[in-house]
Amino acid sequence: MAQTKSGKIYKSSLAKRNMLKFASNKLALVGLFIILFFTLCAIFAPLFTSYDPSYVDPKVRLLPMSSEHLLGTDNAGRDTFTRLLYGGRISIAVGLSAALGAALIGCTLGSIAGYYGGRFDSFIIYVGEIFTTFPQIMLVLILVGLSGRSLANLILIFCFTGWMGTARLVRSRVLSLKTEPFVESCVANGISGFSIMFKHILPNTLGPVIVSITMQTAGFVLAEAALSFLGMGVPTAIPTWGNVINAASSFHIFQNYPNLWMAPGIVISLFVLGVNFFGDGLRDVFDATE
Amino acid sequence: MLKYFFRRLLSFIPKILIITILIFIGLEFVPGDPISYLIPPEQMAFMTEETIANMRENLGLNDPAYIRYFKWLGNILKGDMGYSLINGVKISDIIWTRLPATIELTALGFAVATILGLLFGFISALKRNTPIDYSLTALGMVGVSIPEFFFGLSAIVVFGLTFRWLPPGGRMTPGQPGFFQRIPYLVMPVLVIGISYTATLMRYTRGSMLDTMNKDYVKAARSKGLSETRVNLVHSFRNAIIPVMIIIVNRIPILIAGTVVIESVFNYPGMGKLILESISGSDMPVVMIATFFIALAVLIASFLVDLLSALLDPRIRFGKM
């Protein structure tokens, strides 16, 4: 009893120390604040605007910034501010869910490869190397070309092409962890390999995995924006940050209506910057070596 | 060194073969009849059903897949890659006009990024925890967070459209194909690619430098009374860049991926723009072959950087690793 109690105290003090370490990192807090700010704005979008993000009104095309249209309207008469708010929903959701999906694949393959080693391990490593030979955006472009543009397709394709980093990370952690005494005791107690891998070893790798999920979210938000800007990402009818920029599509608009593309560009940059700050703070907390 | 060279070279051959298999499978999945990209379209227009059926037999399209794969591979090696579905131009001709443009752009961007990244990382580590270090780190963070295409667009609007210092897009003025005449067209895309890639490199260089600067042999060199410049450059920096080289290799695909986007922003006629145009036009044979060349370029580039890092690391050079 006393032992479990002291164990708990130790755990909570570690958590407390980590929280304090994170809180002392000002950039990380700024990052967290930016993420929360944009996410809340996106979730509560209807509270901040009364327009419909997809309502096309040719009468109000290309209006300048005003109190009625905070960031003006685009070529089709849609309110840019509204589209940015609603676009955040899709962009953040795509980034986060793709990062989680990719991490899920990466954790599974990495754990199995690291724990069992042998042929499966070399196979996974090799497949990963082949995958990384193709630049990710190119794989994504081809797969989008073959499967058609849709939100679900894009997320699946991101997962399918983004698991290698996490897999490599988890594999190397599992390789070093599986020689630890706690794993030996699990084996001695007859716990199944599956259970050792996913219940006992994997939780110990979660720190770096969370960092990599954060960083990948940033990467996928950027990738979604780039693909939608190129007209190969989320279908144009759905507002996303990339599609908002995509709506400004000629030199004439670029030069004369900077509000249409500067605003989404700045929003994307700020959000990604926030995620990067946050991820950096997490890395400092989780990575004892740095 | 020679042994290392050949071992690395040999390990690329199976990879290239696997990539060709993947590309072939991709081509198999392309909707439509393979004959449509194997025969020049002007020839096909004058053929009857019967001759097309004969052609199909002659080309071996009725053979099992693995035989067709080897025939296809043989044709690729001979430089015969089929024809574009859209305009009937030989795919090999398209590639030969587009590939050099992309290599030029990527190589220059790569050079800019490597020089700036190593330099700033070096300075940042030497001046660690000073305002210079902080501002470089902050700039780097901002650099990785701005989408490349947004950076490119801003550059076009400022320098291309507003001040008109540089052409807003394209690769050359018609009739002036020389390299020096093309420089104004290259400045913006090269800098945008280079600067986006600099931030990551700077970060790794800084970390690696800090690691190395605390090593015993660096302290030993300093206590021997060597000059600070010599300690920093020859003893720390040279060893610090070896792990950075590995990061550089791993990031080459990302650099090339950036090129796809930047080429479209700057309307630059390279492979990336080709792939994008072909995907929107459902010209999958061109897409597949272009992707094959990109993957090949990534392999060759990582091979070269590998060799370079071997040259820097005597443990590899003398075959101890």
Side-chain angles (χ1 to χ4, degrees):
Chain A
M1 188 66 201
Q3 258 184 338
T4 44
K5 204 179 171 189
S6 70
K8 261 190 184 159
I9 287 167
Y10 175 68
K11 194 180 168 191
S12 72
S13 77
L14 180 70
K16 203 173 165 188
R17 207 188 66 193
N18 280 345
M19 295 277 269
L20 281 177
K21 202 171 169 189
F22 185 82
S24 68
N25 186 340
K26 289 197 192 72
L27 282 184
L29 285 180
V30 172
L32 184 63
F33 174 76
I34 295 177
I35 297 174
L36 285 178
F37 177 76
F38 280 107
T39 315
L40 290 176
C41 281
I43 292 174
F44 297 109
L47 294 182
F48 301 108
T49 173
S50 53
Y51 296 101
D52 177 342
S54 308
Y55 180 65
V56 175
D57 185 357
K59 279 176 295 196
V60 292
R61 283 180 64 226
L62 296 171
L63 289 184
M65 295 199 264
S66 65
S67 55
E68 248 169 82
H69 295 281
L70 281 178
L71 292 169
T73 55
D74 67 9
N75 218 353
R78 296 169 297 195
D79 181 59
T80 307
F81 179 67
T82 307
R83 280 169 68 73
L84 274 181
L85 286 175
Y86 282 93
R89 290 183 173 183
I90 311 286
S91 288
I92 298 173
V94 167
L96 190 62
S97 51
L100 287 174
L104 190 70
I105 303 178
C107 282
T108 315
L109 292 179
S111 303
I112 300 176
Y115 189 72
Y116 288 114
R119 289 242 176 100
F120 185 74
D121 185 26
S122 358
F123 177 70
I124 292 293
I125 297 274
Y126 207 78
V127 171
E129 274 182 31
I130 296 286
F131 260 79
T132 41
T133 313
F134 298 97
Q136 190 188 5
I137 200 163
M138 242 165 239
L139 280 183
V140 175
L141 279 177
I142 293 174
L143 292 173
V144 170
L146 287 175
S147 65
R149 283 169 73 184
S150 85
L151 203 56
N153 277 354
L154 192 70
I155 296 175
L156 285 179
I157 290 168
F158 276 160
C159 296
F160 178 67
T161 56
W163 54 270
M164 292 82 73
T166 318
R168 210 177 305 132
L169 187 88
V170 170
R171 175 186 169 272
S172 66
R173 292 278 293 166
V174 170
L175 270 184
S176 66
L177 282 171
K178 77 175 180 185
T179 55
E180 297 275 325
F182 78 92
V183 176
E184 281 172 25
S185 92
C186 285
V187 177
N189 279 307
I191 297 174
S192 72
F194 184 83
S195 175
I196 296 178
M197 264 188 299
F198 295 114
K199 276 195 185 155
H200 295 270
I201 299 184
L202 193 60
N204 285 299
T205 67
L206 280 188
V209 169
I210 291 173
V211 176
S212 106
I213 291 177
T214 318
M215 295 305 191
Q216 273 206 305
T217 306
F220 285 139
V221 168
L222 283 178
E224 183 278 322
L227 286 167
S228 299
F229 168 74
L230 295 177
M232 294 303 295
V234 179
T236 333
I238 305 173
T240 70
W241 286 338
N243 277 339
V244 179
I245 300 193
N246 180 272
S249 52
S250 68
F251 279 163
H252 174 68
I253 290 183
F254 289 141
Q255 201 178 2
N256 299 314
Y257 302 94
N259 52 317
L260 292 185
W261 59 274
M262 288 289 270
I266 292 171
V267 166
I268 299 168
S269 309
L270 265 181
F271 181 77
V272 172
L273 189 70
V275 177
N276 280 336
F277 280 159
F278 180 69
D280 241 33
L282 284 183
R283 179 178 297 153
D284 285 345
V285 171
F286 285 125
D287 198 348
T289 53
E290 269 189 35
Chain B
M1 183 66 204
L2 213 58
K3 203 175 134 199
Y4 178 80
F5 174 83
F6 281 114
R7 218 174 54 208
R8 297 299 307 175
L9 197 63
L10 278 181
S11 78
F12 279 114
I13 292 171
K15 269 189 202 159
I16 293 175
L17 281 179
I18 289 176
I19 289 169
T20 58
I21 293 174
L22 289 178
I23 297 288
F24 181 73
I25 294 173
L27 278 172
E28 291 281 290
F29 273 112
V30 172
D33 193 339
I35 199 134
S36 56
Y37 65 81
L38 289 173
I39 303 180
E42 63 269 25
Q43 209 174 318
M44 195 140 108
F46 296 104
M47 283 188 200
T48 59
E49 286 291 317
E50 202 182 327
T51 35
I52 288 181
N54 277 338
M55 265 321 246
R56 184 165 296 159
E57 187 60 45
N58 286 343
L59 285 167
L61 289 181
N62 302 329
D63 292 343
Y66 65 95
I67 295 185
R68 270 181 294 136
Y69 165 71
F70 284 111
K71 277 194 180 153
W72 174 79
L73 189 62
N75 283 339
I76 294 277
L77 289 178
K78 276 184 281 177
D80 175 12
M81 296 161 203
Y83 300 84
S84 156
L85 293 182
I86 291 181
N87 48 19
V89 179
K90 271 187 178 175
I91 297 180
S92 51
D93 287 349
I94 303 179
I95 301 283
W96 294 139
T97 54
R98 299 288 191 118
L99 192 60
T102 291
I103 291 178
E104 192 173 88
L105 189 60
T106 319
L108 289 174
F110 182 76
V112 167
T114 311
I115 294 169
L116 290 184
L118 291 180
L119 183 71
F120 288 152
F122 181 69
I123 294 175
S124 200
L126 282 189
K127 308 265 175 208
R128 68 186 167 284
N129 302 334
T130 63
I132 301 180
D133 179 25
Y134 292 140
S135 36
L136 279 177
T137 309
L139 270 182
M141 281 294 234
V142 175
V144 284
S145 306
I146 297 180
E148 279 174 330
F149 67 89
F150 178 56
F151 192 21
L153 277 181
S154 313
I156 290 179
V157 170
V158 175
F159 301 111
L161 298 177
T162 309
F163 292 119
R164 295 182 184 277
W165 288 342
L166 294 163
R171 190 181 178 212
M172 56 181 87
T173 320
Q176 298 184 323
F179 178 75
F180 290 103
Q181 290 152 325
R182 274 189 279 121
I183 286 181
Y185 290 89
L186 281 168
V187 173
M188 278 202 286
V190 163
L191 285 182
V192 169
I193 291 176
I195 290 172
S196 324
Y197 187 67
T198 300
T200 339
L201 277 185
M202 178 179 89
R203 204 188 155 100
Y204 281 105
T205 313
R206 179 179 179 275
S208 178
M209 259 310 270
L210 287 180
D211 258 8
T212 324
M213 280 159 69
N214 285 323
K215 289 267 164 66
D216 285 341
Y217 60 80
V218 175
K219 288 180 191 151
R222 187 165 285 131
S223 58
K224 248 179 1 183
L226 294 180
S227 74
E228 219 26 42
T229 338
R230 199 174 153 77
V231 172
N232 286 331
L233 276 177
V234 179
H235 292 263
S236 307
F237 186 61
R238 186 173 150 174
N239 287 302
I241 50 179
I242 294 169
V244 178
M245 285 292 197
I246 295 167
I247 302 292
I248 295 183
V249 177
N250 287 336
R251 294 251 153 186
I252 288 176
I254 300 179
L255 180 74
I256 294 182
T259 321
V260 176
V261 180
I262 290 305
E263 280 180 4
S264 311
V265 173
F266 285 96
N267 201 19
Y268 186 90
M271 296 290 274
K273 196 156 175 290
L274 172 70
I275 289 182
L276 202 70
E277 288 164 353
S278 309
I279 288 180
S280 0
S282 302
D283 196 351
M284 287 319 262
V286 175
V287 174
M288 288 297 170
I289 300 285
T291 310
F292 170 64
F293 274 91
I294 296 278
L296 203 63
V298 170
L299 277 181
I300 294 173
S302 51
F303 176 65
L304 290 178
V305 182
D306 245 19
L307 278 189
L308 194 64
S309 56
L311 282 174
L312 285 167
D313 189 345
R315 282 171 305 182
I316 301 178
R317 211 180 330 151
F318 296 119
K320 291 210 176 90
M321 251 171 106

